[in-house]
Each structure stands twice: as C-alpha cells, then as structure tokens.
Amino acid sequence: MFQGARRLLNVMWRRATRRALPVLCAGLSALAPAALAETITSARYTEPTLRYAHGILGDAEEWGALEIRTSDAVARNITYSIRLPLTSVFEDTEPRLADVDGDGKPEVIVVETSVTQGASLAIYNQRGKITATPYIGTRSRWLAPVAIADLDGDGLMELAYIDRPHLAKTLRVWRFAQGTLKEVASLQGLTKHRIGERDIGGGLRNCAGKPEMIVANADWSRLMAVSWTVTTLTASDIGPHKNRRSFARALACR
C-alpha cells in the first residue's frame, strides 16, 4: 500500500512539473530582454588559487573566478561570478573593459590560462566566454596584453598582445569580427614584461591622431612605438628604455 501511494505521488509530481514548465520558460523568456539591457560596469578576479604555480607575475597565486558587475535599465546593480574549471586559471593583473563588438557596451578582456596548454586572450560578458585566441600550446607559456582598439581605423576592434614576452617576444594583433578573433598581423623582437614583475608595462597611446602601441625592443634597451595599417606593423624607435617611468613618459606623449 505504501508503494502504491508513493507511485501516485510521483505521478502527481510529474504532472504538476509538466504544467509548471511552460510558465517557467515563459518567465525566463521575459527576463531575456532585461538581461540584454544590462551594462557591465566593473570586473575583478576572485578565488585565488595555487593550482597553477607558474609564478610569472611574481608569485604562485593565480585566480579561479571572474566577478562581473552590471547595471540595468532601472539602475539595479547585479553581480555575476564565472568560475573556471580546475584545468584553467586567470593568469593576469586585472580584467580590462572595452567595447569590442561595437554595441556601445563594454566586454571584459582577460588572460585565461590552461594548466596544460598555456595562456590565451579571452573575451567575456556576464553570460560567459564569447571567444578567445588559441592557447599558446604548452604549459608555462604566457602572453602580455598590449592594446584593445581600432588600430587601423576600419571600424573593427583589434586586440594585441606580446606572445611569450620572455621567449618568443612577438607582437600579435587579432581582429574581432562576427563574434570571433582572427590573427591579422605579427612582428618579432618586442616585449613588455620581465619574469617576476607584478605589473605589465607599456600600452596604447594616441599622440598624433593615430593609435600606437608602446613596448620595448627585445633586449630592453629601447622604447618602440608600433603602429598598424591594413597590411603592415611598423615599429619606430622613440628613445632609450630605463624603467617604468620611460613607459609612462611615452604613454603621455612626452
């Protein structure tokens, strides 16, 4: 008798669940426009972890999660937490906000590293990963972000980084279009980070009406300003490199 009563309860539960499911789905559909109306206002790394002891940024601690905060059409602040699997970490100083897709709202750009395949540059929003460059391919291989900008004036955004700034010392430029990243240019003999430094030097400036990426040459003796046309990356020597103040002066167009 007890088993019969339990089966009856199970049948009643399944029927009630089937009736409730369309209502739940309708509710989720109604929330979708509101979610799309949200604007990312800030992002930070959370959940420090020791599961990938590369130590390229001065210690063995990396990050296991990304916290993204948004504001919606009625000024409500909403917090999302995106947790990586145990096979990945955020190997970075801080997330960067930029409008990559041209919709007037920023996305979040991060260095995401596989514990077996090395680093990639990834784009996220509050719903998760949008796209990423391929992993470098080997454990303990990293990249240093340089710029997020429309570097050639064609209306599309480019993301640039130094691939393995301690080894390959190669500037790579990727264009974001139709939801994906495609490599469009590269130039060897450049860097912007040394092992153990807690920050990432250099960056982007616009001193004469065109964007330029400020980096160092391979042996750290000279500062280089790199510009890009549709077909060519051009590196110009802009003076000696001495320390982080050298980068700061160059970025300030001095």
Side-chain angles (χ1 to χ4, degrees):
M1 184 171 182
F2 174 75
Q3 290 180 346
R6 187 167 59 184
R7 283 196 296 270
L8 178 60
L9 287 172
N10 288 337
V11 170
M12 293 173 67
W13 171 254
R14 287 195 296 270
R15 289 175 179 172
T17 302
R18 283 197 295 269
R19 286 195 298 269
L21 187 58
V23 176
L24 176 60
C25 292
L28 290 174
S29 298
L31 287 173
L36 292 175
E38 293 173 26
T39 299
I40 294 172
T41 57
S42 66
R44 68 186 184 104
Y45 297 124
T46 61
E47 300 186 12
T49 176
L50 299 176
R51 65 177 177 252
Y52 182 66
H54 187 195
I56 207 70
L57 290 164
D59 59 38
E61 185 176 88
E62 307 303 343
W63 305 98
L66 173 66
E67 181 182 279
I68 297 176
R69 294 187 177 182
T70 70
S71 180
D72 67 10
V74 293
R76 291 178 301 185
N77 296 316
I78 306 164
T79 300
Y80 297 85
S81 185
I82 298 171
R83 183 173 290 107
L84 291 176
L86 297 180
T87 53
S88 300
V89 297
F90 294 114
E91 190 179 17
D92 201 0
T93 56
E94 61 181 359
R96 299 148 195 84
L97 300 189
D99 179 11
V100 176
D101 60 10
D103 67 351
K105 300 177 182 180
E107 285 73 44
V108 183
I109 297 88
V110 300
V111 179
E112 182 178 336
T113 297
S114 159
V115 300
T116 59
Q117 296 297 307
S120 69
L121 195 67
I123 304 171
Y124 277 80
N125 61 21
Q126 65 269 34
R127 291 175 290 278
K129 188 188 296 187
I130 298 171
T131 189
T133 64
Y135 293 116
I136 290 172
T138 302
R139 178 182 173 86
S140 300
R141 297 295 181 266
W142 186 68
L143 60 84
V146 177
I148 308 160
D150 179 2
L151 294 172
D152 61 351
D154 66 352
L156 297 174
M157 293 289 281
E158 282 79 43
L159 285 72
Y161 62 76
I162 300 291
D163 175 4
R164 291 160 289 173
H166 324 109
L167 296 171
K169 300 184 179 182
T170 300
L171 174 66
R172 298 193 186 278
V173 178
W174 298 72
R175 176 181 289 135
F176 181 84
Q178 299 180 338
T180 63
L181 287 164
K182 178 182 179 181
E183 187 174 2
V184 291
S186 65
L187 184 64
Q188 295 182 332
L190 302 169
T191 188
K192 67 196 301 284
H193 183 269
R194 287 179 278 207
I195 294 173
E197 290 178 334
R198 302 303 297 267
D199 65 339
I200 301 173
L204 182 72
R205 74 178 188 182
N206 194 326
C207 299
K210 66 176 182 178
E212 293 179 308
M213 294 172 278
I214 303 302
V215 296
N217 66 352
D219 67 5
W220 286 93
S221 62
R222 309 297 295 178
L223 284 177
M224 311 299 291
V226 184
S227 59
W228 185 52
T229 63
V230 175
T231 59
T232 307
L233 279 170
T234 302
S236 302
D237 187 326
I238 58 172
H241 171 271
K242 295 181 180 179
N243 49 39
R244 285 290 191 262
R245 289 191 294 274
S246 303
F247 279 133
R249 285 193 294 269
L251 291 171
C253 305
R254 298 202 304 268

